[in-house]
Amino acid sequence: MRTPPPRIVRILTAIVAMGGVVTAAAGTASADLVVNGVDDSVDATIELMPLSMGTGPAQTTIYVVPAEGDNDPGCNFDGPGETVTVNLASDNPAVATVSPTTLVLSACGAAGAQPITVTPVSVGSATVSATQALNRAGGTFHFGNSRFTAKVTAAPNTPPTLDIVGVEEGGAYPRATLARPECVATDVEDFPTAPHTKTWLASMTEISGPYAVDSIGTRYAECSYVDQSGAQVIARKGFSIVDDSAPVISRVLDPVPDGSGWYRGDVSLDWTVTDAQSPSTLTTTGCDDQRVTSDTKLTVFTCAATSAGGSSSNTANIRRDATPPVVSPTTTITGGGPVVNGWYTSPVGVTFTATDETSLFLVDGRAVGTSSQTVYSSGDGELVVQSPAFTDRAANSSAVGAQTRSVKVDTSAPDAPAVSLSTPAGATGWHTAPVTVTFSPAGDSGSGVAACSPAVTVDVDTESRTVSGTCTDNAGHVSAAKEVTVKLDRGAPVVTQAVVTSAPNGKDGWYTTDVEVDFTATDAVAGLDSATQRVKSSGEGAAVEVSSPAFTDRASNTTPAEALTKTFKVDKTAPSVPAFVGGPSGSHYFGEVPAAPTCTSSDAGSGLASCVVTGGGSSVGSHVYTATATDNAGHTSTAKLTYAVLPWTAKDFTAPIDMGGVFNTVKGGSTVPVKFEVFAGTKELVDATIVSLSNRKIGCITSAPTDDIETVVSGSTSLKYDTVAGQFHYNWKLPTGAGTCYELKMTAKDGSSVTANFRLK
């Protein structure tokens, strides 16, 4: 629970002492007062709220004081949901603003007080007032006592402070990295937004000292600021600017040395010396440009420089070797294996030797003047082995083939012999006549072929006979054996049996689809890729023939078709679409549907066995008769006959009964005449046995319309058709029980119905 502010408690205490209510100010209508909490009084005087730009927002409250004289004595808020919505506004928001701008009051006195905040914006006066936006209470409200004036005055002046940032008094700073110092003034009144400062670049004096020409020496930063009240502050800092870096020496070597550090041509060395901060103090030694044009194992060049920033030096090491190694014509032979007819039978190694006088060779991590390399022969034949490239540490290389050595080498056997057949095999690799196999040289990369194996003739049927042969070259090497497989078959296949793949799928031994027969053949030597072939019948009739196809073995020997034949009964066609005889068509009203139809059909194949009609119906809705014709092979065909059974039309109950959801009001125990009609199209039905009436207790709907029954009768009668009035008639004696409701329902044999509602008095 919120505790009320003290001033509100004091005001309410005074109100209680005066009798508990306040009388509205003179000249205003009697109403509860909407007042502010700026002071303890409740009167017509506009209160004053003092504010300062230096102290920020202030708070007060808005609340309701009950008063007599309006249409709601005492406090206007009498219960839950009774509220008044109030809009708050400042007539000069450029001076002061109020928040919130809308609040809701729901109780009188301290319990209903709502806080508000007034924020100063600038020096001046602004009136804050409340107005009514929405009144959900019983009485009226007077808002004149809610107004008050917010008077905003300037904040008191505080003297400014001034500082110089970026340098310290007596500090020393490198010329290359020194940023310009800045002035920072702090004044709460001039700069009301935190951090209450203003920053600008400081004024700078000229640099003094012996190196002032290079901007090296002593300098002062100066600042001055005057605030809005006229108070002035001044700041000054002295500091030194120094050269903190020695001269920079760079060199360019042209061309750039390779990874070994050696040059293989003339070398140019160009020196560059700079001092960005104190160039007037710069001196150099040994910094002349150089050009090296002759081989040298090592020459060292040094450039040194001094300035006010210190001393530095740089060194260039140059090694030059433009002469490639020299290869000796003397060689040695290693390897080669047994020598046959002047031919080496394994690769030959030829060792070459080279020398270098300047950069030398790098061998096993050591610099040496002589290097040897062995080159092995590659391939077979009369070969020339070339010396390899010899490379010194400066990357100079001798030419490949500077020296050579000739050798004859045959390291491999001849190619396996070529094979030829006196007659080619068929597409499947079989022969059907005797064949002779001949072996001949296929090639040799070295000494050449000397001889190959003799020819072989195959003249006996065989599934597989392997014939092999080899060749020998002049160096004694024997080739790998070349094998060829010969398959010989000179006889055709024999058809041995025929098997039907399925039993008759129709009735009485008839097939209703094409018949499939598997014929099987055998072959004693080459065999068959497919020993069994399936043949499908074609056409219809009582004697359809199926004959064996041609069979070909793997050697391409063929047995012609029709070596074996089978006969079958085949009927693949259904009877003709049946025709209906008699029966309904289109639509018929309930109770008037004709008797079920019969059907007829015909079949040109196995003959018609039967024609039967199923389905139909006499209830309201859509119905279908299905005629099915069946032939002697079991085929069927069907036809559909669709028709509709239409419902009767049950007319609403007539006077004195009201329809359309109305509750007919009548005294319990009364007898009400019930009248209605039933039609089959335009024909009125008069048979009382086709309808029945029933009633049930239902819930009363208070929002539904009602109407009194104007006519009641005495006694009750059975349902009958009144030929004079041309309608069904029934006297219904209602149950008793005031305040209860019933539903009366008429139901016809076709399912049509009419209902009416009753409420008992």
Side-chain angles (χ1 to χ4, degrees), residues 561-613:
E562 300 183 357
L564 187 61
T565 300
K566 292 284 187 177
T567 303
F568 304 94
K569 295 193 297 182
V570 181
D571 181 0
K572 300 186 288 184
T573 306
S576 64
V577 176
F580 286 95
V581 178
S585 63
S587 60
H588 305 273
Y589 283 99
F590 180 81
E592 300 177 359
V593 180
T598 60
C599 65
T600 62
S601 180
S602 62
D603 186 81
S606 57
L608 185 69
S610 64
C611 190
V612 179
V613 177

Side-chain angles (χ1 to χ4, degrees), residues 172-206:
Y173 301 94
R175 174 190 168 193
T177 60
L178 176 63
R180 184 161 178 181
E182 293 182 322
C183 305
V184 180
T186 303
D187 191 297
V188 175
E189 291 76 32
D190 288 7
F191 317 118
T193 303
H196 312 293
T197 61
K198 176 183 178 182
T199 302
W200 68 96
L201 293 176
S203 299
M204 307 300 295
T205 64
E206 294 295 330

